[in-house]
Amino acid sequence: MTRYGDTRKSLREESLAPKKQLGQNFLVNKATADAVANCGRISKDDIIIEVGVGLGALTQPIAEQAKEVIGLEIDRGLVRFHNEKDDLPANVTLLHQDILKADFAELYRKSQAKLKIMANLPYSISNPFLFTLIENREKMDWATIMLQKEVADRLTASPNTKQYGIPTVLLKSCATIQSLLTLKPAEFHPRPKIDSVVVRIEFQDPKAEATENYDWPLFQKIVRAAFSQRRKTLLNTLSSVNFFSDLVEGDKKAGKQLTKEAINQAGIKEGLRAEVLHLDQFIDLTRSFSAKLS
Ligand code: SAM
């Protein structure tokens, strides 16, 4: 099968109609696939995990640059197709696997290093995939992924914008993010309705995070609670979770008072909304809540 150009015809001949529910928008230009692969800054010693091999449009240039590629594909029909045709480069191992159910410790063992992930990501899984990366941040080196523009914009958003939210703050706490390339719908078959953006997410050394010395699970809980109702004040969103319920034996009023004190002790006014806070202020809030809870 030709990977580029006449993708539509090839798919029809192989009875592999693109599946919308699996976000199958295949790259159709070799030069574009090369440009996306180049965003990975892959070296000859790298073992790359590719999520969503599809017809192999991106797999090909990645395999040319890397030592090995471990390709994951959820669509059994596509996996069978590649196995029958034996058309992927020799240094590619194809696994029938849902990335959202993948064992990252196992992928880490297979990679023999921190994970380097490339993907033209199915739009339907972009948010859960990003949260999976955040969960597994200590096993991550970098991820270079194509996302719908709207999601990419959220990752690089600044406070006081409507794009700024939970993924922005959580990802910023453990990684640096760069937008590298914008792709128009005509680069894909079938064409999506919106532009796509390739972003590079470089994870920090968790040791650096440890020296920051704050309780990451609590930080995550605070960020999620603070953004749960964007129009409400920090006092209302954070006290509705009742972080201090054990300390006040379920007394909501007392819990709200402790929440107010914890917010103020972080140097923040309780009437503010989550969307105005910078990452450092969320970290200050976490330290202040920790101090009260300990
Ligand atoms: N890499 C190919 C390309 O660039 O042309 C295909 C990209 S297409 C946007 C996304 C691919 O991810 C599809 O092949 C789809 O079947 C696969 N996919 C969808 N959900 C997945 C999941 N949860 N885990 C692994 N692969 C998935």
Side-chain angles (χ1 to χ4, degrees):
M1 182 188 291
T2 314
R3 291 199 177 90
Y4 313 98
D6 56 355
T7 307
R8 182 195 300 266
K9 184 165 159 267
S10 307
L11 283 165
R12 204 169 40 234
E13 281 167 11
E14 299 292 340
S15 305
L16 286 170
K19 298 186 180 77
K20 199 173 171 194
Q21 73 277 17
L22 293 181
Q24 293 184 346
N25 300 96
F26 301 109
L27 282 168
V28 292
N29 289 315
K30 179 165 178 2
T32 308
D34 288 345
V36 175
N38 289 342
C39 291
R41 300 170 199 155
I42 298 167
S43 87
K44 258 290 162 219
D45 301 326
D46 285 342
I47 297 179
I48 303 290
I49 310 282
E50 191 201 355
V51 178
V53 166
L55 298 171
L58 196 51
T59 321
Q60 184 79 40
I62 296 172
E64 282 163 15
Q65 298 180 22
K67 181 174 158 203
E68 261 178 65
V69 183
I70 301 169
L72 311 185
E73 175 53 62
I74 198 173
D75 185 338
R76 192 185 295 278
L78 283 173
V79 174
R80 194 181 307 126
F81 167 81
H82 289 301
N83 288 340
E84 280 169 8
K85 302 273 172 181
D86 193 20
D87 67 334
L88 292 173
N91 60 345
V92 177
T93 306
L94 181 59
L95 305 175
H96 179 222
Q97 171 79 64
D98 176 348
I99 185 63
L100 300 180
K101 295 189 182 148
D103 177 350
F104 271 60
E106 178 63 19
L107 291 177
Y108 186 91
R109 270 193 295 280
K110 283 195 167 106
S111 292
Q112 301 157 30
K114 286 196 175 175
L115 302 182
K116 299 171 180 182
I117 295 185
M118 295 229 41
N120 168 10
L121 212 61
Y123 290 170
S124 49
I125 68 162
S126 43
N127 272 323
F129 176 74
L130 288 166
F131 288 122
T132 301
L133 294 187
I134 292 167
E135 279 297 299
N136 289 284
R137 64 198 181 284
E138 291 180 5
K139 297 187 186 70
M140 288 299 306
D141 187 338
W142 53 257
T144 300
I145 54 181
M146 186 155 18
L147 297 162
Q148 60 270 54
K149 186 172 181 310
E150 182 198 328
V151 175
D153 286 348
R154 265 187 247 150
L155 302 188
T156 50
S158 306
N160 271 315
T161 59
K162 77 172 193 301
Q163 288 84 5
Y164 187 69
I166 298 169
T168 331
V169 179
L170 293 186
L171 207 54
K172 204 168 174 197
S173 74
C174 56
T176 51
I177 302 127
Q178 264 182 299
S179 290
L180 295 179
L181 195 65
T182 300
L183 269 64
K184 292 285 170 198
E187 297 292 344
F188 305 89
H189 171 74
R191 292 182 183 194
K193 290 196 176 70
I194 40 177
D195 288 357
S196 303
V197 174
V198 179
V199 296
R200 179 154 175 105
I201 305 171
E202 296 208 14
F203 288 80
Q204 287 146 14
D205 187 342
K207 281 193 212 108
E209 201 182 292
T211 55
E212 291 263 1
N213 197 18
Y214 63 96
D215 177 340
W216 205 88
L218 179 63
F219 164 78
Q220 175 167 222
K221 244 170 134 177
I222 288 175
V223 173
R224 286 180 184 278
F227 281 105
S228 61
Q229 289 167 289
R230 295 182 71 101
R231 316 239 13 113
K232 289 202 171 173
T233 64
L234 286 172
L235 179 60
N236 281 334
T237 53
L238 296 181
S239 50
S240 70
V241 172
N242 216 347
F243 285 94
F244 303 110
S245 88
D246 285 353
L247 288 182
V248 296
E249 293 172 352
D251 178 342
K252 284 197 177 152
K253 207 169 157 207
K256 194 164 182 172
Q257 179 57 30
L258 283 185
T259 305
K260 181 174 182 291
E261 286 170 22
I263 297 171
N264 293 158
Q265 278 157 12
I268 296 166
K269 294 197 178 93
E270 75 275 8
L272 293 179
R273 291 187 195 147
E275 65 191 24
V276 306
L277 297 194
H278 292 255
L279 170 64
D280 288 353
Q281 291 174 298
F282 279 107
I283 294 174
D284 290 346
L285 268 183
T286 307
R287 291 207 179 104
S288 172
F289 275 58
S290 281
K292 272 217 166 339
L293 286 164
S294 61

